Amino acid sequence: MSDTLTATPVDAHLHEDGSLERLAIDTIRTLSMDAVQKANSGHPGTPMALAPVGYTLWSKFLRYDPAHADWPNRDRFVLSVGHASMLLYSLIHLAGIEEIDADGNKTGNEAVSLHDIEQFRQLSSKTPGHPEYRHTTGVETTTGPLGQGCGNSVGMAIAERWLAARYNKDGFPIFDHDVYSLCGDGDMMEGVTSEAASIAGHLKLSNLCWIYDSNHISIEGGTDLAFDEDVGLRFKAYGWNVIHVDDANDTNALAKAIEQFKATTDRPTFIVVHSVIGWGSPKAGSEKAHGEPLGEENIRLTKRAYGWPEDKSFYVPDGVAEAFRQALESRSKSLRDEWVAMTDRYRQAHPDLGAELDLLLKDKLPEGWDADIPVFPADAKGLASRDSGGKVLNAIAGKVPWVIGGSADLAPSTKTDIKGQPSFEANNYGGRNFHFGVREHGMGAVVNGMALSHLRSYGSTFLVFADYMRAPIRLSAIMELGDVWVFTHDSIGVGEDGPTHQPIEHMATLRAIPGLDTIRPGDANEVAWAWRAALEKADRPTALILSRQALPTLDREKYASAEGVIKGGYVLADCDGEPEVVLIGTGSELSLVVDAYEKLTAEGVRARVVSLPSWFRFELQDKGYRDSVLPPATKARLAVEMAGSLGWDRYVGSYGDTVTMSTFGASAPLAKLADKFGFTVDHIVEKARALIADAASTGKE
């Protein structure tokens, strides 16, 4: 459709003079238009089209107390179409949601003021281009990468079902909230949405409602350029209840659809809402209404079509915000007050569960949560770190019931099943073992949603498949969630599976994610401390990188305590005086480095072994500590890791070297992998000698 200057006529049923409903809807629309125009950047069309949907859901159904945005039993509203952020910011503003700081205390400020809306998409504003969790009160999850919000909402619905199964007792419905996600054509095209929808249908999550904005427009033009399937039929095949609303402006039809969702008890609901993007504007129905400002003249014409003051920007008519907030409060304040009183009675009737619930909601762990973590005796044969990881996980799970998770159909290999616990299925929402199927991307988004509901959730697969879930891993770091990502089969040690299953570059890509603690422990006792590190904070995700093959369990009476993992890197074995060479190892190569150290020491070489399982944690330490581990005066440094060399230069320096896959190439034969790629004690010793000689000849020792 071409960009004309003729406004699309506004439907008569929205032009009932004096209607607060109409005023509220048009307020959302015009705030969105004005904010995008002032920023000269953004997406006005979808908020304009979906204003009636947001208004209907929030004013008539959403259980949400604006004065207590952290009420645990509130309904969740997820804006998966994160580019339409002005819809959410307008709703938060009109609802009068009160801001909560990082410590859970009210600040006395509006979560989103009119001034904040005027600062839309500006640096450091509370109204960034896409909603950000922890940054703006009222935002339930960070959305932007399409499909992620859909997956998060499935995780939130799962969390509600699990929490209800564990904590609800007769007369105490502690958890009975619903989860809504607003999604669009872009979400429907992304594969992660299909994975998450399939999981939700299988689990019959009747507390989950997706509202799909079917406007047939994408950035390039009409969706028929690339997307013409019957999405409703697809969701019927997934096992969802599918409802169509022919006109997004028909608030009565929208209300009836949501009522039908609330009456459905055996499956999730998918409401297909047919809308016109940029409704009421000269750009209505065009891709030009999607991702660019309407323009001053078009805004003037659109406001005229709405019957809106043409010369007013960021205008909220008298009574609109008050009525909108009152609609929420009249329904939700009493529910929240009753819930608080009920939980007080619950603590008396069920003191153990009450105390447990208080810890969970505060993101704390029980006293002695790590008391049963085993200490592994020295053992030359040892065991795979996936095996020791499974033992540690189960020791923790016995103390912390809300540590729950699963795998992408690989639990027997990743060793992440919780022993003696049932599976989470439609007939048992109290199970702790999750079967995500071969859906790594969906698993990542779902696990994030569970973590957003205070569960200490984890997901596992082979390290090579971390590529399939990079987006949710990255988002877990951005949102500062406490997820644990368990990746096993971490090196060429997978052997017979060949190069497709040998994760050469994956360590570097995970270490590159700011805020993600990537830990590759070198023996069973480092695994134990790695799990402690992963769970000590609920505001940091961790990637645990574990082996398929057995790793010797080091003698900790001879070598330093594995507690050094907490600092990311530590001196495992040392010499008298300043070392001539520092050998650095992680994971399965740590024992090789130790053996090389012993051989060099026997030759009279002053050598040091540094275990460096977590670069992230090591960089958090002060310079004094880092220099005490890696002394600047020692230039001969050798890092050994069955992965790419990218990034190791920061630790080995300009004069150091590595023994990595980058040294020898990326493909491998099926036999003698370690010999082929130089991961032998003799090769490490040879490289160390060469570095020492080079340092001596150039005066760099």
Side-chain angles (χ1 to χ4, degrees), residues 27-68:
T27 298
I28 294 168
R29 286 174 164 143
T30 55
L31 286 176
S32 300
M33 292 158 44
D34 290 339
V36 172
Q37 187 64 40
K38 185 174 185 292
N40 198 29
S41 175
H43 301 261
T46 298
M48 293 167 67
L50 296 183
V53 177
Y55 170 83
T56 302
L57 176 60
W58 280 55
S59 67
K60 298 181 180 179
F61 294 96
L62 199 70
R63 302 196 317 173
Y64 194 105
D65 184 354
H68 299 279

Side-chain angles (χ1 to χ4, degrees), residues 392-410:
V392 175
L393 168 62
N394 273 272
I396 295 170
K399 294 284 191 178
V400 189
W402 55 98
V403 168
I404 62 177
S407 78
D409 195 44
L410 288 171

Side-chain angles (χ1 to χ4, degrees), residues 354-384:
E356 182 180 300
L357 182 58
D358 286 341
L359 287 173
L360 181 152
L361 294 176
K362 293 176 182 176
D363 293 321
K364 295 183 177 180
L365 298 174
E367 189 75 23
W369 66 272
D370 59 349
D372 291 343
I373 292 178
V375 175
F376 296 89
D379 183 355
K381 180 180 179 182
L383 69 166

